[in-house]
Structures are given as C-alpha cells and as structure tokens.
Amino acid sequence: MLGPQGFIAGTIEIDAGGRVQHIDGAAVDEAAVRESPLPIVLPGFIDLHVHGGAGRDVMDGGDAAAQVAQCHAGHGTTSLLATTMTAPFADLETAFTALRAACESRAPRSARVLGVHLEGPYINAGKLGAQPDFTRPVSTQEIAHLHAIAPIRLITLAPEAARNMEEVARLVQAGHVVQIGHTQGSYEDGVQALACGARGFTHLFNAMTGLHHREPGMAGAALAHATYAEIIPDLLHVHPGAIRVALRAIPRLYCVTDSTSATGMPDGQYRLGRQTVNKCLGGVRLADGTLAGSTLTMDQALRNLVTRLGLGLAEASARLSTFAADFLGISDRGHLAPGAWADIVVLDRDLEVQDVYIEGAPI
C-alpha cells in the first residue's frame, strides 16, 4: 500500500463516512512491492480531462456523465472532471444542465464528478485540434451563467486570442483554475499568462506552438516555467521521448486521458461534441486524420508510465493522482492518509485493476 511516507505492508481502516481512519504497517521498498504476490493498493486515479466513454459523450446531456463516470471507475478512476467541447452557448447550457445532477451526487459504481473542465470555446481557431469552430472571446457573463448551473473547476483558453489575456486574472479571482491550450501563442504569451495567474497547460505539446530553438513557442514556455501541465500518455499523442523531456522539465506533470465516447468500445464511428470521430487501431481521429481525443484509461496510463517509460510505481501514482488533486487545490483526495477520502485502486503484479473503492464503497 502506498501511504504518505511510501510503501508499507499493512492495513487500512475506513470509517463509516467513507474516509481513511487509520493506516498501519511496516515500510517496504518498491522492489519488494512489485515482487510480492500481495495486491498493490494505490490512491484512486484522478482524471481532469474526460470527454466520454462507453459510447457516451459529456455533451450528450441526460445521464451521459453518469455513464461516463461508471465506465472510468472500472479502470481505477475515482474522481474526474467532465470535459465539454467548444460549442454554441445553447449546447453548453444543455450539457451543463445535465451535469448539475452528476456533480451534486455520485451515481452507484461511478467515479465522483468533481465539476466541469470547460475546454473552449475561448481558444484559437487556428489550433482547434478536434474542436469544432465555435470559438469566441472569453465571456465572463457566459461563464458565470454556466457556473451557476454546474461548477466550472477548470478552464482551457488561448491567452493570445481576442481579449483573453486580460481576462485570465479575473477568472482566477472568481475561483476558476485556468490553463493554456489550443493556442497559437508565443513563448512570451505563455510567460505572460502564467504571470496573470494561469496555472498549467492542456495536453502538453498537442494543439499548441511547438519548441524551436529560436522560437520556443508555447511548449517552450511550459517546459521552462510550468510547475503543472497535463499530458496524454497513450504513446500516440506524444512520443515517449517528448514525455521524458516533460518529466525532467515540469516538476508536477500529471496525466489525463482526454478520453472520448469511443473508450471501451469496438472500432467504429462515435461522437465528440458535434464532431463525428472514428476509432481504429486504438486511436480516435476525425475524417481528415486529426487525432480527436483518445481511448486511454488511467490504468493503461499507469502501465505505460511504469513498463514503457520506466517510472517507479510511487512516482507514476503521484502523476495519476496526487499532482492532479494538488493542481485543483483538493486536499482530501489523491493520497491515502487519515482523513482523506478512501478512494482506492487495488492492482495485481501486472498492474491490472482487481478492485476499486470510491469514498469507501467497493464498486
């Protein structure tokens, strides 16, 4: 079990309210953990960028978010941010109206929906990625209206677009976490946005200006100055070598799935907001070949970090749980310690999920 001071061989007690009451045991090194036949107990995964799963998309409304949360819970994700797409205001309003219930109460056997990640529409039309072109400048009135329906915890925007830079500080003061993404901004734009209060970068390297030795770009700003950034470790969105660069440069780089409705589904056509996407050979793409989110799950992300990139299990766990919680300012998730929620993933020696506990309840 991975506790506050490292791995221990011991027990964890959960109180009637679903929180960790007591942890007891003797310290063991990580090599012994990997060699032991006993199950491996880690903090539940926290995914701050989830569009869909099990054939459902957050933008569908209705019970889509609950179905998505249930899909990801089976892969060890115990809490997540439901992530919306760039869309007309009416579409966002419909999605948020359905998300209210998902944020207020956790459906059985489902991950906790901590709130909404508003990915756009305040992005650069020149770096849409798989987002449809309904971009517009930041509207604090629009954000306030949507936030009153369901809590917006995280906003992705392009700081160089329209009047966005001057709005970053206002959004932070209003209690939102701001990160930079879908951007054609320069290195200087990134540095300025961080100075204004932006805290991180959305799917690092993807849909942003790249690093060149005479034009460092937004990726250069992240590598030089960021404490936090999210990255998609499906080994398709980002080359393993580039992930290693980011791991050395960004102290609290954390992992997300950017998962779509195609997650957990067979090859075929699915929806991503208003876009039609195609799942084939493990990837999700628009008709023109553009990557359109992923089918990654957090347990597979763990295996990629450990077996393909060579990270230790404790470090990989931090990048799948602790750092995301810290980024959002959450103190009672992302680690196993007395008083924290008993969000737990139980794994075998091959890092396959054996059991999941969410707020103390087995799913």
Side-chain angles (χ1 to χ4, degrees):
M1 172 174 26
L2 183 59
Q5 279 75 50
F7 281 103
I8 63 170
T11 59
I12 181 169
E13 296 178 23
I14 301 171
D15 68 22
R19 293 181 181 266
V20 176
Q21 181 169 316
H22 182 69
I23 294 176
D24 187 42
V28 293
D29 63 36
E30 189 164 312
V33 172
R34 294 303 307 276
E35 293 169 1
S36 171
L38 296 173
I40 300 168
V41 176
L42 300 179
F45 306 135
I46 300 174
D47 192 349
L48 304 187
H49 197 145
V50 180
H51 289 286
R56 304 300 303 276
D57 186 289
V58 165
M59 294 295 292
D60 291 345
D63 67 347
Q67 296 297 313
V68 170
Q70 187 176 86
C71 169
H72 287 276
H75 295 277
T77 296
T78 53
S79 55
L80 58 83
L81 290 184
T83 304
T84 56
M85 293 284 289
T86 294
F89 177 73
D91 289 10
L92 289 171
E93 190 173 41
T94 297
F96 269 70
T97 299
L99 285 168
R100 181 204 294 269
C103 294
E104 288 178 345
S105 63
R106 185 175 66 85
R109 303 175 62 82
S110 298
R112 170 67 67 181
V113 179
L114 298 170
V116 180
H117 174 177
L118 189 67
E119 188 186 15
Y122 317 120
I123 60 175
N124 195 312
K127 282 290 185 182
L128 290 171
Q131 301 271 348
D133 192 4
F134 295 101
T135 62
R136 49 194 182 272
V138 168
S139 166
T140 53
Q141 181 178 6
E142 181 175 80
I143 291 169
H145 179 87
L146 294 172
H147 183 62
I149 301 172
I152 299 173
R153 302 295 296 272
L154 179 60
I155 300 173
T156 290
L157 57 76
E160 79 287 354
R163 305 178 303 277
N164 289 3
M165 186 74 77
E166 63 194 61
E167 299 294 346
V168 171
R170 293 189 182 95
L171 294 173
V172 172
Q173 288 174 348
H176 307 295
V177 179
V178 175
Q179 61 184 18
I180 302 162
H182 289 276
T183 170
Q184 288 189 313
S186 65
Y187 169 90
E188 291 76 14
D189 290 326
V191 172
Q192 183 180 354
L194 290 171
C196 290
R199 294 196 68 203
F201 293 79
T202 302
H203 41 53
L204 182 66
F205 298 120
N206 297 114
M208 65 177 60
T209 46
L211 175 67
H212 184 277
H213 59 286
R214 285 190 291 273
E215 294 182 13
M218 197 60 75
L223 295 171
H225 298 282
T227 300
Y228 292 95
E230 58 171 63
I231 199 161
I232 307 169
D234 62 352
L235 311 183
L236 179 62
H237 277 76
V238 184
H239 189 281
I243 297 177
R244 289 190 172 94
V245 170
L247 287 166
R248 293 188 69 176
I250 301 175
R252 300 175 81 79
L253 184 79
Y254 65 91
C255 298
V256 298
T257 62
D258 197 5
S259 59
T260 65
S261 60
T263 302
M265 302 296 288
D267 287 357
Q269 285 194 339
Y270 298 92
R271 301 295 297 174
L272 178 61
R274 288 195 170 201
Q275 306 275 61
T276 298
V277 297
N278 297 280
K279 177 182 178 182
C280 182
L281 301 176
V284 184
R285 299 179 185 271
L286 299 178
D288 65 2
T290 300
L291 280 170
S294 83
T295 61
L296 183 65
T297 54
M298 290 294 260
D299 59 331
Q300 184 60 54
L302 176 72
R303 292 189 288 272
N304 288 348
L305 292 182
V306 174
T307 63
R308 300 289 298 278
L309 288 163
L311 270 65
L313 192 54
E315 180 184 353
S317 175
R319 297 188 186 280
L320 292 164
S321 302
T322 311
F323 294 166
D326 293 345
F327 180 65
L328 277 193
I330 298 170
S331 61
D332 58 0
R333 298 183 194 269
H335 61 281
L336 297 178
W341 286 107
D343 291 346
I344 298 167
V345 57
V346 182
L347 305 152
D348 64 16
R349 291 176 63 183
D350 296 321
L351 305 183
E352 298 286 345
V353 174
Q354 301 300 296
D355 209 349
V356 180
Y357 292 77
I358 299 175
E359 297 172 0
I363 69 160

